[in-house]
Amino acid sequence: FVTSLASVSCDIEYPDGLSRLHLLLKVFLAGFRGDTHSFIFYISGILSLFATLVGFFAILINGRMPSGIFNFVVGYQRWTIRVSSYYVYAMVDSYPPFTNSGGSHPADLNVAHLKYLPKAGDPQGLLGWLYVGIPHGIALVLYGIAVYVSVFISAWSVLLLGRYHRALFDFNLGFWHWSARVNAYMSLLRDEYPPFHWRA
């Protein structure tokens, strides 16, 4: 048996230092540079939802998520983390690549592919969006508000000290640990109930 903590791995490498100039450019040129990702990102998000729906019927029929659909949805969620950690949370200086595969980028997501997902097709699994999405969703919204405050403080830490304060970095990374496990469950990539905490 593989626990949810081990089966969904989200990691962002803590940087030794971050560029003040890079941060300022991201702030002032966010609209311009963000547009290079936003259109493709938007289309990929729609395709990811469609792929999850197709995967849902595949699980109902034969109890498994097709590997092609699985890899696409995981790739989209990995791309989400890379784009957000660069643009929104300013946790890395590495520009997110136009690919959803694993690689050398400091932000990464890996989800173990279960051969069978028996729980996802039973009544409990079908209602998972209710008893996972509501309590975890509320908690993550509140956590997210705290994270935005943390990002504001962290931006000043980078501007003044040239580094992301480690405690704030770990606090923000915890948000990604938690949300990645919930997203994996809600996207039918895993069928274990995600733990109600932010620890890795």
Side-chain angles (χ1 to χ4, degrees), residues 29-44 79 83 86-87 95-99:
L29 301 178
F32 173 74
R33 299 194 72 180
D35 285 343
T36 58
H37 276 276
S38 59
F39 177 74
I40 302 172
F41 197 67
Y42 176 76
I43 298 300
S44 296
W79 194 6
V83 170
Y86 177 83
Y87 285 114
Y95 188 74
F98 282 92
T99 177

Side-chain angles (χ1 to χ4, degrees), residues 93 108 130:
D93 276 344
D108 201 11
L130 261 176

